[in-house]
Amino acid sequence: MDHLLGASLPVFLGLTVLVFGGFAVLTGQTLAEGWKPVSSVLAYSLLLGLGDRFLAWGLFGEPLLSLWGLAVHTVVIGAIALTTHRIAIARRMVNQYPWLYERNGPFAWRERAPARG
């Protein structure tokens, strides 16, 4: 199982999912607040993935130059950041333009139906 995750399970869950996943949540929210595009989220996710691999190596002796480990950890971190970014963008669209849009689930918005009078 360790070779599928690119690190041992406790390191993957603790460092990648909890710590760097938390960083990914904050990154996604911050980039959404600045109306940054998805490409920015992907770039920052790659940087977080590199930092995760470095700390996994430095603190827990995991392999530093594991391409598979970098890919798996970066995909998990990126998925968290992209999900948070989309939720924050949807929330921001509805809150900033309440006369135009209404929520359509956690990830989307739709045009507000015209008022019938």
Side-chain angles (χ1 to χ4, degrees):
M1 179 87 158
D2 291 348
H3 67 281
L4 293 176
L5 298 175
S8 65
L9 185 60
V11 171
F12 179 77
L13 292 176
L15 186 65
T16 302
V17 175
L18 290 179
V19 175
F20 278 87
F23 295 158
V25 167
L26 295 174
T27 300
Q29 289 176 343
T30 301
L31 292 174
E33 290 298 316
W35 295 103
K36 301 296 182 194
V38 171
S39 59
S40 295
V41 179
L42 296 174
Y44 281 101
S45 296
L46 178 60
L47 291 174
L48 287 173
L50 290 169
D52 175 68
R53 289 309 302 166
F54 179 74
L55 287 181
W57 168 74
L59 297 175
F60 303 106
E62 300 291 341
L64 176 62
L65 300 176
S66 168
L67 193 57
W68 177 253
L70 175 64
V72 169
H73 292 224
T74 302
V75 165
V76 169
I77 291 167
I80 295 169
L82 287 169
T83 302
T84 305
H85 182 265
R86 183 61 185 187
I87 290 170
I89 286 287
R91 181 182 64 238
R92 184 121 191 226
M93 287 294 288
V94 172
N95 289 342
Q96 189 159 340
Y97 306 107
W99 64 93
L100 291 175
Y101 303 114
E102 60 188 9
R103 288 303 286 255
N104 188 23
F107 300 106
W109 60 93
R110 65 177 170 228
E111 287 190 30
R112 187 173 288 281
R116 296 182 181 182

